Amino acid sequence: EEVFRMLGPMFGMMGLSWLVSIVLGCSYETFFIVQFAATPGKMAVGLKVVRPDGTKLGTSRAIGRYFAKVLSGMILGIGYIIVGFDSQKRGLHDMMCDTRVIKTRG
């Protein structure tokens, strides 16, 4: 019975940890994609995330892309594997949000 009394707070902390992780990850990615069209990692390798016409993403599309990336990973990474087979090298999250990852330097 003691174990069951400990489970509630333990699951509560796990849920809170998950929620904080989602909020921080989404905020980080949204900020960098909206402000700079790239996260620091993408900037380091010369990549940008843009719309098909080359314009930057708005806040709502950047948030949507973050959650689409979560979905891409949840389905055993298949959303990322698609990149190797797509003629435009887009992942499932890029297809869902109508975005492209482009090279900014050769």
Side-chain angles (χ1 to χ4, degrees):
E1 191 168 307
E2 179 69 25
V3 172
F4 293 117
R5 275 192 277 142
M6 291 172 36
L7 284 178
M10 186 174 73
F11 285 131
M13 288 303 292
M14 288 171 55
L16 182 61
S17 173
W18 174 80
L19 182 63
V20 168
S21 175
I22 293 291
V23 168
L24 288 176
C26 184
S27 299
Y28 166 86
E29 184 146 338
T30 300
F31 171 77
F32 279 104
I33 294 295
V34 169
Q35 292 297 313
F36 306 105
T39 58
K42 282 184 175 48
M43 286 185 243
V45 295
L47 299 174
K48 278 189 174 183
V49 180
V50 296
R51 297 293 318 276
D53 63 2
T55 59
K56 286 183 177 183
L57 277 62
T59 302
S60 58
R61 190 170 304 268
I63 291 170
R65 188 173 185 274
Y66 172 80
F67 285 104
K69 283 176 63 176
V70 170
L71 177 64
S72 287
M74 286 173 67
I75 54 173
L76 304 176
I78 292 171
Y80 294 105
I81 294 170
I82 291 172
V83 172
F85 300 96
D86 183 65
S87 63
Q88 297 179 15
K89 300 297 180 200
R90 295 177 303 157
L92 178 62
H93 49 283
D94 290 316
M95 293 176 192
M96 290 173 65
C97 297
D98 196 26
T99 59
R100 309 286 187 277
V101 177
I102 61 169
K103 293 180 183 178
T104 58
R105 59 179 184 253

